[in-house]
Amino acid sequence: GISAHTGGRGTLDRCDISAHTNANASVKAGARLHMRGCQIHDGNASGVFVLEGGEATMEKCDVFANALAGIEVREHGNLTMRGCMVRD
């Protein structure tokens, strides 16, 4: 999985993120993550989890078949999605 935290920054382009024990992608504590054209699937928890002031931007991503919510945002998390599909 992917974990961005404590002010970290990152860009993922056309990545396949899957089968993580926790959220497949977690963004928190002031971190910023930009995901483009990624597939995020088959996680044992949420697909993407943005919390505690984390910021994420997703463009043309496909989020599917995660055990919990495909997308979860709470505790002052900020998420922008463009052209994404969230299913299953």
Side-chain angles (χ1 to χ4, degrees):
I2 302 296
S3 178
H5 59 87
T6 318
R9 306 283 185 265
T11 300
L12 305 174
D13 196 3
R14 295 182 304 254
C15 295
D16 188 331
I17 306 162
S18 65
H20 194 267
T21 301
N22 296 313
N24 276 327
S26 175
V27 187
K28 65 181 185 177
R32 291 184 184 167
L33 185 63
H34 189 149
M35 295 175 271
R36 275 189 300 258
C38 295
Q39 289 193 340
I40 302 158
H41 59 96
D42 294 305
N44 293 323
S46 298
V48 178
F49 192 18
V50 185
L51 69 158
E52 298 173 2
E55 296 182 22
T57 301
M58 299 174 66
E59 297 180 62
K60 298 181 181 177
C61 293
D62 193 8
V63 182
F64 60 97
N66 293 286
L68 300 177
I71 304 291
E72 185 173 355
V73 182
R74 67 178 193 199
E75 299 166 10
H76 306 288
N78 186 7
L79 175 65
T80 301
M81 298 176 72
R82 294 181 195 96
C84 296
M85 172 141 337
V86 180
R87 55 194 169 93
D88 299 341

